[in-house]
Amino acid sequence: MALNPIKRGLKVQVEFETGSKRTIIDTYILEPDSDRLTLSFPDSKREYAPYLREGTEIKAFIYTFTGIMIIDSIVYDSPFDGKFIIEFNEQHQIIQRRKYLRMPYITDFFLQREEGNLKTNSVDISGGGVRFITDAPLKADEKYKVQLRLNNFEPMIKAEGIILKKNFYKSNEYVLEFMEIDEKEREKIIQKCLMLERSQNKTTM
């Protein structure tokens, strides 16, 4: 039986029409049900509540551990009513793999090599890979076993990946894309990114 990727706390971007343009706001899942999702609604976006009345057609981008799930939905309960509830219909979902929320985060990132582990520092992280800095010359398409430190209190994340591209504007900056990683480990990275995003949003409010 497949693991249900819809969980409390996942980020959901809601896209809807506001007059002659389309607007996107960030919300989070408060309560998932089989046919609907109860979402948070940011106080800073209350001006958009009139555009989200019951029956309004919207598009929702749900950031799950498998990537971004895109669904066509409608508003069941408007934010005006105290709860923001939208339809969740699995028949209309589309999964875009290898597209994840990426957040700046500096931490230890190790590449395993025959001549010894190479210690680098990450620039940003996502469920799909790591951008990092090293003075050691690396080639595109090289494969490595890697370890990422999310915090000092848990074992490091282990994965295998490939050097996807080199930043031509910064000679010491590279990107590694995960090729093999346990989904539970990927989920830890995604949750870390969501936590970083929430912290960032609080400091900018």
Side-chain angles (χ1 to χ4, degrees):
M1 184 175 178
L3 181 66
N4 185 357
I6 306 301
K7 301 178 180 178
R8 289 187 182 92
L10 291 182
K11 176 183 175 181
V12 180
Q13 288 188 321
V14 176
E15 182 183 73
F16 53 98
E17 292 186 359
T18 53
S20 60
K21 66 177 183 178
R22 295 189 70 81
T23 297
I24 295 178
I25 62 171
D26 292 345
T27 69
Y28 295 90
I29 297 177
L30 299 178
E31 189 66 41
D33 289 301
S34 60
D35 65 343
R36 64 193 62 201
L37 300 175
T38 301
L39 306 177
S40 64
F41 194 84
D43 289 336
S44 60
K45 304 295 182 181
R46 285 290 169 185
E47 63 187 283
Y48 295 113
Y51 297 100
L52 292 167
R53 297 185 182 278
E54 183 178 339
T56 300
E57 294 183 354
I58 63 170
K59 189 177 291 290
F61 301 81
I62 307 172
Y63 286 74
T64 77
F65 68 85
T66 55
I68 298 180
M69 179 184 296
I70 305 174
I71 62 171
D72 292 319
S73 179
I74 62 172
V75 176
Y76 277 166
D77 286 325
S78 167
F80 274 131
D81 302 326
K83 285 186 177 181
F84 184 30
I85 302 177
I86 67 171
E87 176 192 30
F88 178 67
N89 188 337
E90 293 187 2
Q91 293 181 351
H92 294 90
Q93 66 185 4
I94 303 172
I95 299 292
Q96 290 187 342
R97 297 190 182 278
R98 295 194 300 275
K99 185 177 179 183
Y100 300 94
L101 173 66
R102 181 175 294 277
M103 291 299 296
Y105 187 59
I106 300 175
T107 188
D108 295 334
F109 184 57
F110 295 90
L111 283 72
Q112 295 183 26
R113 304 190 298 178
E114 290 184 1
E115 60 269 36
N117 289 354
L118 175 64
K119 180 180 179 181
T120 75
N121 290 113
S122 64
V123 176
D124 56 44
I125 62 174
S126 79
V130 177
R131 187 184 306 273
F132 64 99
I133 292 176
T134 178
D135 291 328
L138 302 175
K139 295 180 181 179
D141 298 328
E142 286 185 330
K143 296 180 181 179
Y144 291 97
K145 291 183 178 181
V146 299
Q147 297 185 58
L148 175 70
R149 190 189 307 280
L150 282 188
N151 57 60
N152 294 323
F153 310 105
E154 296 181 3
M156 288 193 289
I157 301 293
K158 295 182 179 180
E160 293 186 30
I162 187 171
I163 302 297
L164 187 62
K165 65 178 180 178
K166 181 177 179 179
N167 188 326
F168 293 100
Y169 301 101
K170 296 181 180 179
S171 60
N172 64 340
E173 187 173 289
Y174 298 85
V175 173
L176 180 133
E177 182 183 81
F178 296 138
M179 304 298 291
E180 293 185 29
I181 182 171
D182 187 283
E183 290 302 331
K184 291 181 180 179
E185 298 283 74
R186 194 196 302 274
E187 176 71 4
K188 290 179 182 179
I189 299 174
I190 292 170
Q191 291 302 317
K192 181 70 173 183
C193 289
L194 290 171
M195 184 187 74
L196 291 169
E197 184 187 44
R198 287 173 190 153
S199 297
Q200 184 181 82
N201 289 341
K202 287 180 181 178
T203 59
T204 56
M205 287 179 63

